[in-house]
Amino acid sequence: MPEIRLNMISRVWVIVAKEKGKKPEDFIVKKIKKRLPELVETCPFCPGNESKTPDEVSRIHDGDGWKIRVVRNKFSKLSEEGERKRWDSGLKKGLNGVGIHELIIESPLHNHATALMSEEHLGNVLQTLRNRFIEVYRDPRVEHVIMFKNNGSAAGTSIEHPLSQIVGIPITPFQIRNRFEGFMRFFDETGDCLLCKTIQDEMNDGARVLLNTEHFLSFIPFAALSAFHIWIFPKRHSGSFADIRPEEIWDLAANLKSTMSMLYHGLNNPDFNFVLRSGNLRSTSSEFIHWYLSILPRVDTATGFEIGTGMHINTLVPEVSAEFLKNVKIPK
Ligand SMILES: [Zn+2]
Ligand SMILES: [Zn+2]
């Protein structure tokens, strides 16, 4: 019989197909991916084409060149100019579409997959994300900042160059608010942070843990939304990514590299989305908000059932996902 598991953090019910489920090997990307070159002359993010992204916000230098650049997104859906003005006429409510949208060009190498970056380089990317996270929040029109990465066409991007994105939006979306309200209710009832509790629970159970490093735990959620859905939680309770300490950045870089390597080598470089969920700068001292990373390999597709119910169907048992990834041989 299938199980219906509750994801306590996103409050999503997940049907876990047990007997009729698939095998981990069924999710290995079959299509032969073309080998990407290190440099593509027509790519606006490759070195030599910096004039195509003129609104540079910051860079980490590398001799005459650069290791990481941050630029304004030319194709931002939000306008950087203008006021945050709400309007309201009966059932028609809204506000001006102002906000900040920046791109973090993670590497000069066009084909630099996250799994193949050095820990040092990934640490620099994370440090850059943290700096921009704090800066974007300084804009008084920004209510919430999200950071994400879309990798591959199944994850919603045709851009091959390694990019992460940071968007400061003038509202707090309901999805975020609902999650934080859920964390608050759990805290009210138990006096505990739901994520701190989850870390303890996963470490005691052990069946879904991928990697337990000094400051971070990477694991498959008990009610993973889809096959190989991964969470990385900081072990130290903290409501905001802004609060990450230098030693934690380096540990996260190591953890992230190993976790992404399991996916890259185990599933043949699947498309994925990566989302960093965090409270704002004032949430640092919140007792119930706890920031975290979510990685969703795009190896399965949502169907009408999922869109229509908000439930998810996971065709691979989470414990089987974890067992498979833990045993991936990662070339040195
Ligand atoms: Zn490129
Ligand atoms: Zn916590």
Side-chain angles (χ1 to χ4, degrees):
M1 192 186 289
E3 257 177 34
I4 304 182
R5 297 185 180 183
L6 176 62
N7 188 311
M8 291 281 286
I9 285 163
S10 52
R11 290 266 150 190
V12 169
W13 289 99
V14 183
I15 300 181
V16 177
K18 283 194 140 173
E19 285 88 2
K20 288 185 189 141
K22 298 183 187 169
K23 298 189 300 297
E25 291 76 14
D26 296 338
F27 294 89
I28 296 173
V29 177
K30 305 285 184 308
K31 75 169 186 249
I32 301 176
K33 292 203 169 179
K34 61 177 197 292
R35 268 186 182 277
L36 295 175
E38 282 191 359
L39 186 93
V40 173
E41 271 176 33
T42 52
C43 170
F45 306 110
C46 272
N49 292 337
E50 287 81 358
S51 62
K52 290 186 182 158
T53 50
D55 292 330
E56 183 171 303
V57 178
S58 72
R59 69 161 66 187
I60 298 185
H61 293 274
D62 185 16
D64 291 338
W66 48 273
K67 287 182 190 166
I68 297 168
R69 288 176 77 222
V70 181
V71 298
R72 299 262 188 260
N73 184 5
K74 262 211 259 191
F75 302 104
S76 171
K77 306 281 180 288
L78 297 168
S79 162
E80 210 165 299
E81 307 298 324
E83 269 178 76
R84 180 188 185 278
K85 229 192 243 157
R86 261 193 91 114
W87 39 264
D88 190 331
S89 64
L91 291 179
K92 299 186 181 66
K93 301 178 195 302
L95 74 161
N96 293 353
V98 290
I100 310 272
H101 191 164
E102 296 179 349
L103 304 175
I104 288 90
I105 307 170
E106 296 177 354
S107 168
L109 301 177
H110 189 81
N111 59 358
H112 213 179
T114 309
L116 304 181
M117 290 179 188
S118 69
E119 287 177 19
E120 190 196 349
H121 191 85
L122 260 180
N124 286 328
V125 171
L126 292 167
Q127 182 66 49
T128 305
L129 279 173
R130 176 182 176 268
N131 295 346
R132 296 316 307 158
F133 180 77
I134 293 171
E135 275 310 308
V136 173
Y137 261 123
R138 293 222 164 107
D139 188 310
R141 300 166 304 172
V142 167
E143 283 276 311
H144 190 76
V145 176
I146 56 162
M147 288 181 286
F148 59 95
K149 179 166 181 166
N150 304 326
N151 192 86
S153 53
T157 182
S158 54
I159 297 168
E160 292 160 340
H161 201 103
L163 290 182
S164 42
Q165 309 191 34
I166 177 157
V167 186
I169 40 185
I171 49 154
T172 303
F174 287 114
Q175 194 210 60
I176 312 283
R177 201 174 285 184
N178 290 343
R179 237 165 255 234
F180 291 172
E181 280 169 7
F183 296 174
M184 185 166 67
R185 264 198 298 279
F186 186 85
F187 182 82
D188 286 343
E189 283 161 14
T190 64
D192 287 313
C193 160
L194 175 59
L195 275 79
C196 284
K197 267 299 212 212
T198 303
I199 292 170
Q200 278 173 14
D201 192 60
E202 289 297 339
M203 291 209 292
N204 291 339
D205 180 325
R208 286 164 301 276
V209 171
L210 298 178
L211 210 59
N212 182 0
T213 54
E214 193 178 354
H215 300 289
F216 288 86
L217 188 75
S218 126
F219 62 102
I220 305 277
F222 168 73
L225 302 186
S226 55
F228 304 105
H229 173 206
I230 297 171
W231 278 340
I232 303 181
F233 285 7
K235 291 189 202 167
R236 177 172 68 84
H237 176 81
S238 173
S240 178
F241 178 60
D243 179 42
I244 190 169
R245 296 171 182 163
E247 67 273 20
E248 292 170 332
I249 291 215
W250 297 116
D251 188 61
L252 178 56
N255 190 312
L256 189 59
K257 178 176 168 65
S258 299
T259 304
M260 294 307 294
S261 296
M262 291 177 193
L263 290 175
Y264 185 91
H265 296 291
L267 298 176
N268 187 23
N269 187 15
D271 294 347
F272 66 88
N273 293 105
F274 163 113
V275 183
L276 198 151
R277 296 187 183 276
S278 166
N280 60 26
L281 304 184
R282 291 185 305 279
S283 311
T284 300
S285 55
S286 162
E287 287 176 294
F288 55 85
I289 299 176
H290 190 132
W291 71 271
Y292 66 102
L293 287 174
S294 188
I295 302 162
L296 269 170
R298 292 301 187 167
V299 289
D300 237 350
T301 37
T303 65
F305 175 81
E306 292 168 295
I307 296 162
T309 57
M311 290 173 75
H312 278 247
I313 301 172
N314 187 345
T315 49
L316 186 64
V317 177
E319 293 71 28
V320 177
S321 278
E323 193 57 34
F324 176 82
L325 288 181
K326 271 190 290 191
N327 289 309
V328 169
K329 297 264 174 300
I330 295 169
K332 285 277 174 279

